[in-house]
Amino acid sequence: KDVSTHLKDIETIHLYDENKTKVSDYQELFDDKEEKIVVINPGFFEWQFTNETIDAIPNLKGIVTRSSWGNYIDVEYARSKNIVVANAPGANSQSVTEYDIFQMLGLLRKFPLQLRDNFEIHIDEAHQGEELRGKTVGILGLGRIGTRIANLCSGMGTNVIYWSRTKKSVEYSYSSLEEVLSKSDIVFKTWEIIPDTNGILHKDNLRLLKPNAYFISVFGGIGWSDDDEILLEMVEQGKLAGFSVENEHNKEAEIKENYTGNIFLPGAY
């Protein structure tokens, strides 16, 4: 049996999959007066589930996000309404990890420049791809996803170092945050975007990155984290070889229409 079949044995389940990208478009959800728990596929709804939506859904008792990151939900507000909020740690760890490897390889092979140039051949330094083997990969935050990234990168012949707020019992070398930034050829930032992590990276320590280094931001998109705009600027100024983050933006962020340089903003995984 799949999950939905098990749930049907316990309670009524309604599956809404009509390719509508706004919660407000699912009128049945607001017309139904029965007690309910809502399970959200957040990427499908552009990581938006507002307090107004919470207020508008009658008899809402619980919200479950099919992701480890739930910062797009105002948890304190939901709790004030006696609504339980739950996440799904590790639910998409493998998917995210593989996508991050794709982003890394895309930067190394100058895929953003190839796309911009309609795959015309350019024989110059800016378009020249690089091999991964032998490079030093720095992982910032060695949790579920960080560890998977480390394992895959190590298997592809890289030297892996890491920084985490707590030291782990792993085969990889622990270094200070500043050492990871200054020594790595490729850096993955893997922590979740919450108030406690915003500000760990800033313009002063990001200047430690080597000008030929690549930076992949795993969670969120432009405007969710304090460091995104700094990294974009560094690439455009030739102070960083490449930067990649998902093309999902904070609705309050002011986003440029075009970026120059090796900047890779792929869609959600």
Side-chain angles (χ1 to χ4, degrees):
K1 291 183 177 182
D2 60 21
V3 173
S4 60
T5 304
H6 281 293
L7 288 172
K8 283 180 180 178
D9 292 340
I10 302 170
E11 192 54 90
T12 303
I13 179 170
H14 299 284
L15 179 63
Y16 303 113
D17 59 350
E18 300 167 15
N19 293 321
K20 300 174 183 177
T21 57
K22 293 182 179 178
V23 178
S24 58
D25 290 336
Y26 292 89
Q27 190 58 44
E28 309 97 313
L29 194 60
F30 302 91
D31 293 340
D32 179 13
K33 307 302 181 185
E34 297 295 322
E35 292 185 351
K36 61 183 69 64
I37 297 171
V38 175
V39 182
I40 308 166
N41 186 344
F44 192 73
F45 294 113
E46 299 181 343
W47 299 87
Q48 293 186 38
F49 199 82
T50 65
N51 291 348
E52 290 75 18
T53 300
I54 291 173
D55 288 337
I57 298 175
N59 261 323
L60 181 60
K61 300 301 180 183
I63 304 168
V64 180
T65 177
R66 288 187 61 238
S67 62
S68 59
W69 187 59
N71 203 42
Y72 66 98
I73 301 168
D74 189 337
V75 176
E76 292 304 318
Y77 183 78
R79 286 174 177 167
S80 74
K81 301 281 187 178
N82 294 317
I83 298 168
V84 176
V85 179
N87 65 344
N92 52 0
S93 295
Q94 186 62 29
S95 174
V96 174
T97 300
E98 291 179 7
Y99 205 76
D100 298 331
I101 297 299
F102 158 67
Q103 290 173 268
M104 173 187 68
L105 294 175
L107 291 179
L108 285 170
R109 295 297 175 174
K110 309 300 168 62
F111 188 55
L113 302 184
Q114 292 186 48
L115 283 174
R116 216 167 289 144
D117 297 334
N118 293 317
F119 296 99
E120 294 177 358
I121 296 175
H122 292 263
I123 310 299
D124 57 38
E125 186 175 350
H127 289 77
Q128 186 171 347
E130 295 187 52
E131 292 183 355
L132 174 62
R133 187 177 180 83
K135 292 190 180 299
T136 295
V137 172
I139 310 292
L140 300 179
L142 203 69
R144 290 183 180 88
I145 292 172
T147 299
R148 288 173 186 250
I149 292 171
N151 292 342
L152 287 176
C153 286
S154 177
M156 289 189 283
T158 69
N159 171 46
V160 175
I161 61 176
Y162 80 97
W163 174 83
S164 230
R165 287 189 286 187
T166 56
K167 192 173 181 180
K168 313 291 184 179
S169 298
V170 293
E171 61 186 285
Y172 308 115
S173 298
Y174 176 84
S175 299
S176 68
L177 175 61
E178 291 74 20
E179 286 176 325
V180 172
L181 291 172
S182 62
K183 292 181 179 180
S184 299
D185 301 304
I186 300 160
V187 176
F188 288 90
K189 183 192 75 174
T190 72
W191 54 65
E192 294 188 29
I193 301 166
I194 56 175
D196 286 349
T197 58
N198 245 357
I200 293 177
L201 295 176
H202 46 76
K203 64 180 180 180
D204 292 330
N205 58 19
L206 288 172
R207 301 298 179 193
L208 297 172
L209 288 162
K210 299 190 291 188
N212 61 342
Y214 300 88
F215 194 104
I216 296 93
S217 184
V218 172
F219 282 103
I222 307 302
W224 288 107
S225 185
D226 290 341
D227 51 73
D228 293 330
E229 290 293 342
I230 300 169
L231 292 161
L232 288 164
E233 183 180 283
M234 289 174 68
V235 176
E236 293 190 306
Q237 294 176 351
K239 297 177 181 178
L240 189 67
F243 171 61
S244 184
V245 63
E246 290 172 50
N247 189 18
E248 288 187 317
H249 306 312
N250 185 327
K251 60 183 178 180
E252 299 174 359
E254 295 182 7
I255 308 301
K256 288 173 56 175
E257 289 188 6
N258 297 296
Y259 293 101
T260 58
N262 192 24
I263 293 171
F264 192 19
L265 306 177
Y269 46 79

